[in-house]
Amino acid sequence: MRTDVYHNRMQLVRAARDVIGHRGSTDVGIREIASAAGVGTATLHRHFSTKEMLIDEVSVVRWSRMEDYARRGVRPGYTPLQNVLAILEAFTRMTTADDRFITAAGLTVGRAPRAIHPIRKAFEPEFAALWIQAQREGMLRRAADPRDAVELAGAIRDRTRRIQMMTMLTAGICAPALDAESLVSEMCLKRSK
């Protein structure tokens, strides 16, 4: 995809997320979204044949990032546990940033637009492979399940409590000998570098 075409597409996705989140409803016109993106309605229609497809694309973009992180790792040199925690932490950042949009669009944990199913289907085995490696290394509890961790991370949408909630999630999935608070603090410090 050409750079300008990709840029316009992403501008439309961000504008849809922001306008719908600000309005608190999906009851917005395509002209308003196109205007907020700085493009015309014809450009919007070249990328998305319906407003619903554009709305779904916000979730598609989020899950595409998640799939990329799971496939490539978040950072070179990260251990499987660090990658698992970094992916969950990234997801909490995305969902807290998109909280108003998620609420306005009526998205709920466990129910997602059909458009993300193939992406999530690609994400899950990649993430599970990292998870299993971390379990084999004794870093994650045997009873902990990667699907549950992702669902719990997706439910973290309070920006002011995100780190505390991520710490609780980490404490629940990591082996008892590990200090969840230190792990999350370390992950957040690495993220800010």
Side-chain angles (χ1 to χ4, degrees):
M1 185 180 293
R2 289 186 351 228
T3 304
D4 60 328
V5 172
Y6 177 78
H7 174 75
N8 285 343
R9 185 177 184 85
M10 293 312 297
Q11 285 293 103
L12 285 162
V13 170
R14 282 189 288 274
R17 181 196 64 203
D18 295 346
V19 168
I20 289 167
H22 180 73
R23 177 78 52 87
S25 167
T26 57
D27 189 27
V28 297
I30 59 167
R31 281 194 174 113
E32 185 177 356
I33 294 171
S35 176
V39 300
T41 56
T43 299
L44 186 148
H45 284 297
R46 268 195 302 279
H47 291 282
F48 305 100
S49 55
T50 67
K51 182 174 72 173
E52 290 72 27
M53 288 176 72
L54 173 55
I55 291 169
D56 286 353
E57 188 69 11
V58 176
S59 295
V60 167
V61 167
R62 187 179 324 109
W63 277 100
S64 293
R65 278 197 193 117
M66 292 289 290
E67 190 273 331
D68 186 54
Y69 289 152
R71 183 174 26 84
R72 294 183 319 130
V74 178
R75 278 213 176 135
Y78 268 18
T79 66
L81 176 64
Q82 288 173 319
N83 268 307
V84 164
L85 295 179
I87 289 166
L88 294 173
E89 193 272 335
F91 196 43
T92 67
R93 267 186 293 99
M94 287 185 247
T95 56
T96 56
D98 291 353
D99 177 48
R100 292 176 69 179
F101 168 82
I102 291 168
T103 300
L107 301 175
T108 59
V109 173
R111 294 198 178 141
R114 206 179 285 271
I116 72 159
H117 291 190
I119 299 162
R120 190 146 182 196
K121 207 172 186 170
F123 163 80
E124 287 175 352
E126 297 287 350
F127 186 65
L130 290 168
W131 188 277
I132 291 165
Q133 276 186 282
Q135 277 181 323
R136 284 186 183 138
E137 293 172 3
M139 299 294 158
L140 291 174
R141 294 175 191 263
R142 288 278 168 217
D145 186 278
R147 293 165 300 191
D148 295 337
V150 170
E151 294 300 323
L152 290 167
I156 297 175
R157 294 185 8 213
D158 182 343
R159 199 180 296 248
T160 63
R161 302 230 359 103
R162 187 179 74 80
I163 300 299
Q164 294 90 330
M165 295 170 87
M166 182 63 196
T167 302
M168 287 179 60
L169 171 59
T170 302
I173 64 173
C174 284
L178 298 178
D179 179 5
E181 201 168 318
S182 295
L183 288 168
V184 172
S185 292
E186 180 185 323
M187 196 57 53
C188 292
L189 285 174
K190 283 184 179 181
R191 173 79 180 130
S192 63
K193 288 182 182 178

